[in-house]
Amino acid sequence: MVAALKGAGKDLFAVESKRSLAEFDVLAIPVHYEMGATNCLELMSLSSIPISWAERNADPSKPFDVSSGSYPLIFGGGQTVTANPEPFAEFFDFFALGDGEEVLPAIARKVDECKMLGLSRVEVLVKLAQDVPGIYVPMFYSMHEDGSVRRNRDDIPARPQRQVATPQPERALRLVPYVQTIHDRLTVEIRRGCTRGCRFCLPGNLNRPARDVEPERVIEGVLEGVQNSGYREFSLLSLSCSDWLSLPSVGIELKNRLREHNTNISLTLPSQRVDRFDEDIAVLVAGGEEKKSGITFAPEAGTQRLRDVINKGLTNEELLRGVKTAYLQGYAQV
């Protein structure tokens, strides 16, 4: 793709409108993994956008307007930059720290308001830092000799606060792709965060406190999503679905409600904690005989010592018991 765009002399463009990314007011880039950092820079390069915020801010007094030559405001979000945005600080205009459900609409409204007022790029960033919780603008903070990061102006927060939100199942349905995708199913988040405390898990340690979604909201989100999307498979998503105490009752309720509408919809779950896997969950996930080809457990380490070191909290006996339960319930592969 990169070679094709460069060979054709074309900028990276939006799928729907075919507009160059440089024509948008704001570009939001989720950074889920450290290894994806270079892709962020490649995206800017392919869009003919300078990769550093200092270059994009060459004329700070000019009103912010991409139609008049301003570069888009580029911000990052996701677990990686929330945990430590500093390695990315030279490249992004700002960061949205924490959960984005409430922050993203606020960003859009604030940028639109600033454009109507004719504010400059720097003034827009000041307004975002002042008025939208969870916004970190690197140019307004400086690194000191002791390694601390402190604000370099007094009219912005001394310490941006990571935002915490509860998942919203009613917004689970996104654009339905017209091509085959890897996870071609409706996905509804049932829990954010985790109480287990595995030492290697960034989301589990970052997304605290753990937040459960009310069972009724999950049920309505699945039913509405299935009805409006045409999907024949849905997934309940969290770091550890089997720790959601409402899982068995919600699963049974969903199967009964979907059966009333004569719809053959199957349920899938992410990899399971084997110590919480029992017959009820096995039957719930299996659906029918055609769905019993395999199931995934996540022991994370092959020895008891290593599992203890990473605080996984699993024993060999629990692993064997979970595998036996899966076998007795008809699963062919684990």
Side-chain angles (χ1 to χ4, degrees):
M1 178 67 75
V2 172
L5 285 171
K6 291 181 176 179
K10 291 185 176 295
D11 286 346
L12 192 61
F13 53 84
V15 174
E16 295 86 359
S17 65
K18 303 299 187 291
R19 292 166 55 196
S20 168
L21 296 191
E23 298 178 17
F24 288 83
D25 291 328
V26 181
L27 297 180
I29 305 177
V31 187
H32 298 300
Y33 308 98
E34 290 84 352
M35 295 297 290
T38 54
N39 287 337
C40 302
L41 306 185
E42 185 74 82
L43 181 150
M44 299 180 205
S45 176
L46 289 173
S47 306
S48 300
I49 298 173
I51 64 173
S52 72
W53 61 257
E55 294 177 273
R56 296 192 295 270
N57 196 34
D59 190 358
S61 61
K62 178 182 177 181
F64 174 69
D65 186 357
V66 293
S67 63
S68 299
S70 300
Y71 291 111
L73 292 169
I74 300 178
F75 78 96
Q79 304 285 349
T80 301
V81 297
T82 296
N84 183 14
E86 290 311 308
F88 310 88
E90 295 296 322
F91 311 110
F92 288 86
D93 293 300
F94 65 95
F95 298 96
L97 305 180
D99 297 333
E101 283 88 345
E102 298 173 2
V103 174
L104 294 180
I107 291 173
R109 289 192 296 267
K110 183 56 61 176
V111 171
D112 189 49
E113 173 188 320
C114 292
K115 284 185 62 180
M116 294 179 64
L117 295 173
L119 301 186
S120 68
R121 186 185 191 89
V122 173
E123 290 171 331
V124 173
L125 292 171
V126 170
K127 287 294 185 183
L128 286 169
Q130 291 176 338
D131 300 340
V132 182
I135 297 301
Y136 169 47
V137 183
M139 73 164 65
F140 300 150
Y141 298 81
S142 302
M143 180 79 73
H144 290 256
E145 292 183 358
D146 61 357
S148 63
V149 178
R150 306 172 200 166
R151 60 182 176 180
N152 52 37
R153 52 188 298 163
D154 296 330
D155 57 348
I156 61 169
R159 184 176 181 178
Q161 297 297 312
R162 174 178 63 90
Q163 297 302 290
V164 177
T166 300
Q168 301 175 2
E170 60 273 13
R171 297 186 179 181
L173 181 60
R174 298 292 184 259
L175 293 176
V176 179
Y178 57 83
V179 295
Q180 187 73 33
T181 60
I182 297 175
H183 300 292
D184 196 15
R185 62 177 76 98
L186 175 70
T187 301
V188 176
E189 190 177 9
I190 60 175
R191 194 180 203 227
R192 186 168 299 173
C194 181
T195 58
R196 295 283 184 167
C198 299
R199 289 192 173 93
F200 62 87
C201 182
L202 175 61
N205 287 280
L206 194 64
N207 287 326
R208 294 184 175 181
R211 285 141 284 158
D212 290 350
V213 182
E214 297 87 348
E216 295 76 14
R217 293 179 63 196
V218 173
I219 293 171
E220 293 304 319
V222 171
L223 294 176
E224 182 179 354
V226 167
Q227 179 181 358
N228 294 334
S229 68
Y231 280 123
R232 287 296 174 264
E233 184 177 357
F234 70 94
S235 176
L236 301 179
L237 178 66
S238 80
L239 293 175
S240 180
C241 287
S242 51
D243 283 338
W244 190 51
L245 299 180
S246 300
L247 178 61
S249 60
V250 167
I252 293 173
E253 177 67 16
L254 281 171
K255 289 198 171 189
N256 292 336
R257 296 276 291 273
L258 291 169
R259 192 178 297 116
E260 291 176 2
H261 295 85
N262 297 317
T263 52
N264 184 23
I265 308 295
S266 59
L267 163 66
T268 63
L269 296 175
S271 58
Q272 298 292 298
R273 279 193 63 98
V274 68
D275 57 335
R276 293 299 298 269
F277 184 77
D278 56 21
E279 293 182 3
D280 292 336
I281 295 179
V283 172
L284 181 65
V285 177
E289 292 299 325
E290 73 281 357
K291 296 296 292 182
K292 292 189 179 182
S293 58
I295 191 168
T296 302
F297 295 127
E300 309 299 350
T303 67
Q304 187 63 56
R305 186 188 72 82
L306 281 179
R307 287 194 295 271
D308 292 341
V309 168
I310 64 177
N311 199 35
K312 184 64 180 179
L314 291 178
T315 65
N316 289 332
E317 291 74 18
E318 289 170 330
L319 286 169
L320 293 173
R321 183 168 62 249
V323 172
K324 182 178 180 180
T325 299
Y327 172 76
L328 293 176
Q329 292 299 318
Y331 286 92
Q333 298 179 10
V334 174

